[in-house]
Amino acid sequence: MSGVLGLLWLFLLLAVAGWASAAIASSLLSHYMFQARLPPAERARRSLTLAAIPLLASSTLLVAVAFMALGKAVGWVVDHCVWHAPGHPHLCFEHLPAISLGTTEAAVALTILLAAGWRAGRFICSQHQHRTQTRSLLHLSPGTGRLRRTSDELPYAFAADAGAPCVVMSRGLLNQLDRRQRRIVLAHELAHLRRRDLILTTVIEWLLLFHLPSAARRIRHAWQQALEERADDLAAARYGRAAVAETLLRVVRLHRGQPVPGLAASGADVIRRVDRLVTTPAPLTPGPIVSGSIGLTAALAVYLASTHHFLETMLGYLTGYS
Amino acid sequence: MAGALSNLPPLGDLEVAVLEVVWQSECSAKEAHELIGKRRGISLNTVQSTLERLYRKKLLSRHKAGHAYRYSALVRREELVASYIRETMGRFGSDAATSLAAFVDSVDDIDNATLERLEEIVRIKRQRGASS
């Protein structure tokens, strides 16, 4: 039993080390990867990639090491170390490590697992509560098909997906926009639903649970900005960039001086959206670095797993069993 | 009537339908059932349970009239919708809302000069587009 616990402890340390390294790398990259001139689709792709890296690095490393450990146990890999002392940490399912876990190790392991569980649990609860309230709001908003209307005089519109995707527009907004502007707002929101942006946002928020807070904020903001700009482009393809920009500015004017609640501070920058629609800067051609980063992360994790003597030595120093 | 609710209860489709009846006017379970029960194919007991639930959620008040309760709304429709909007779109710490995407987010930081500059650019662009 102590051997199994010892192995689990080593795997936990590996997972945390993989996560920490990748989270720091992702955090550093997030400062440089979201230039405004990149097309929004590329920025969205980069957001998703950077968000996935810590979890991917950690899980790939674990899977690769577990594969090696299994390989040793079933004889695929004949590679038992002869240089290390008998008590040395050994990543092998046949020879379990002779590590006895003390109070400190148990406390650290419990803290890590509880912290991760707490974050995930809190996220699940808040999302459940939010979806329940969105569903209640949709019950209160009459309408047919994809468009719902609220009787609220405050001007707002949003796409919602709490089971049945739809667009909600307030009477306050509908009454103060002309027919073309209403269609532009609807086209923009429908673009979110068609591209399943809300589902992808849920995925990215799950991935951001495993990030440093500052990096999570940067990636989230880049993601939101990219989604809004992409939806603007889809509406502009039909109605023209100037018309979409004009509608955005009109809604901004309507919001000013009104107690319209906004989304969290990570929401998209409206001024950047308008600026982009009216100035149309020359787009940057994205390089291969991000598209290759997932493959690089996976390759690095597999390489590290193959250098298991090095890993075992490092784990030995970390656990005091060198 | 009560102001904005601080602790919003979830509402199902039937609960909203019953609320719509009560918002029209105070009523008993039997009267509510006459209006929506037959159309929806639900029994009087179901309507009574729904009214009871809404009362416990503090959305309705009631008083005894003879053998039956009469229910009236504690919160107006507009107030309830506004409360849900504040909850679903409002800022709640660092939790990001994933089940909706607004057309325009917070505009707190936008100054007038920037707005006017952009409006002027858009106006010129539209004029050029109209004349070409």
Side-chain angles (χ1 to χ4, degrees):
Chain A
M1 184 63 183
S2 67
V4 172
L5 286 177
L7 190 64
L8 288 174
W9 169 238
L10 293 181
F11 271 89
L12 182 63
L13 287 178
L14 267 179
V16 170
W19 167 79
S21 313
I24 291 168
S26 195
S27 178
L28 289 170
L29 283 173
S30 68
H31 284 285
Y32 308 107
M33 302 305 283
F34 301 117
Q35 299 98 318
R37 283 169 52 206
L38 283 169
E42 177 62 22
R43 276 183 275 127
R45 203 165 20 248
R46 290 184 177 200
S47 303
L48 207 47
T49 302
L50 283 185
I53 282 178
L55 184 62
L56 181 71
S58 181
S59 48
T60 308
L61 183 63
L62 281 182
V63 167
V65 168
F67 184 78
M68 289 296 287
L70 181 67
K72 290 180 201 176
V74 300
W76 298 335
V77 177
V78 182
D79 189 19
H80 280 82
C81 179
V82 298
W83 295 286
H84 291 137
H88 180 82
H90 202 56
L91 295 167
C92 170
F93 289 151
E94 188 185 356
H95 305 108
L96 297 175
I99 294 176
S100 53
L101 297 187
T103 317
T104 310
E105 287 87 353
V108 169
L110 208 57
T111 303
I112 291 169
L113 292 172
L114 281 176
W118 170 257
R119 274 184 77 78
R122 196 167 157 267
F123 179 75
I124 290 170
C125 285
S126 78
Q127 291 306 307
H128 173 73
Q129 187 191 15
H130 192 260
R131 289 178 84 81
T132 302
Q133 287 173 344
T134 304
R135 214 173 285 131
S136 300
L137 174 62
L138 296 182
H139 286 314
L140 286 165
S141 312
T144 52
R146 291 259 184 127
L147 179 60
R148 307 285 190 97
R149 294 175 179 83
T150 67
S151 51
D152 210 336
E153 289 302 327
L154 289 177
Y156 54 77
F158 55 86
D161 190 354
C166 62
V167 176
V168 177
M169 292 172 78
S170 69
R171 182 166 60 194
L173 187 72
L174 289 167
N175 288 348
Q176 297 194 72
L177 296 181
D178 64 35
R179 191 159 168 255
R180 190 178 165 88
Q181 288 167 340
R182 288 197 294 268
R183 287 183 161 192
I184 287 172
V185 172
L186 188 59
H188 172 101
E189 297 305 327
L190 285 175
H192 282 310
L193 297 182
R194 272 194 217 102
R195 299 201 64 93
R196 298 190 172 22
D197 285 349
L198 297 174
I199 296 172
L200 291 174
T201 299
T202 305
V203 169
I204 213 171
E205 284 300 331
W206 265 110
L207 294 172
L208 289 179
L209 285 179
F210 302 101
H211 272 264
L212 301 171
S214 54
R217 271 195 300 276
R218 276 191 297 277
I219 295 170
R220 182 180 295 120
H221 179 76
W223 170 255
Q224 296 281 1
Q225 190 72 31
L227 290 193
E228 294 304 325
E229 289 178 10
R230 206 164 55 175
D232 288 338
D233 287 347
L234 286 170
R238 191 163 175 187
Y239 296 100
R241 299 180 80 81
V244 175
E246 188 184 60
T247 304
L248 268 170
L249 289 171
R250 173 80 182 123
V251 175
V252 167
R253 279 275 180 210
L254 291 174
H255 275 213
R256 283 161 74 82
Q258 297 260 21
V260 181
L263 288 183
S266 56
D269 182 343
V270 175
I271 295 305
R272 246 179 76 185
R273 285 167 65 187
V274 173
D275 220 11
R276 185 178 161 271
L277 284 165
V278 297
T279 55
T280 324
L284 260 183
T285 311
I289 189 167
V290 172
S291 56
S293 61
I294 286 187
L296 189 67
T297 304
L300 196 63
V302 171
Y303 170 73
L304 277 174
S306 69
T307 61
H308 61 277
H309 292 303
F310 166 74
L311 282 179
E312 287 164 356
T313 305
M314 295 309 296
L315 286 169
Y317 284 130
L318 210 56
T319 55
Y321 281 88
S322 56
Chain B
M1 291 211 184
L5 296 170
S6 56
N7 214 5
L8 284 174
L11 289 178
D13 181 49
L14 180 58
E15 287 169 328
V16 169
V18 168
L19 272 174
E20 299 278 9
V21 171
V22 181
W23 276 322
Q24 298 291 326
S25 65
E26 180 186 280
C27 64
S28 64
K30 194 175 175 189
E31 287 162 2
H33 180 251
E34 285 289 315
L35 288 168
I36 61 166
K38 287 173 184 171
R39 193 173 70 233
R40 285 177 168 247
I42 52 177
S43 67
L44 176 61
N45 275 344
T46 304
V47 175
Q48 269 173 334
S49 308
T50 306
L51 284 164
E52 174 71 27
R53 264 199 319 273
L54 289 170
Y55 170 72
R56 276 190 265 113
K57 287 180 182 178
K58 295 184 174 35
L59 292 173
L60 299 179
S61 63
R62 67 185 183 189
H63 64 273
K64 210 79 184 265
H67 295 294
Y69 281 115
R70 293 193 67 78
Y71 293 85
S72 55
L74 273 177
V75 185
R76 285 185 299 127
R77 196 181 202 287
E78 295 74 23
E79 286 168 353
L80 193 59
V81 169
S83 296
Y84 276 111
I85 287 291
R86 263 193 300 277
E87 272 298 303
T88 53
M89 289 183 71
R91 298 160 193 260
F92 34 97
S94 59
D95 296 335
T98 63
S99 59
L100 55 89
F103 183 63
V104 167
D105 295 337
S106 172
V107 298
D108 291 342
D109 303 328
I110 301 173
D111 61 283
N112 260 336
T114 308
L115 257 187
E116 284 165 6
R117 173 183 69 84
L118 287 169
E119 283 167 343
E120 182 60 22
I121 294 171
V122 169
R123 193 184 60 76
I124 293 168
K125 205 170 167 82
R126 292 211 80 178
Q127 276 177 351
R128 282 189 193 147
S131 59
S132 61

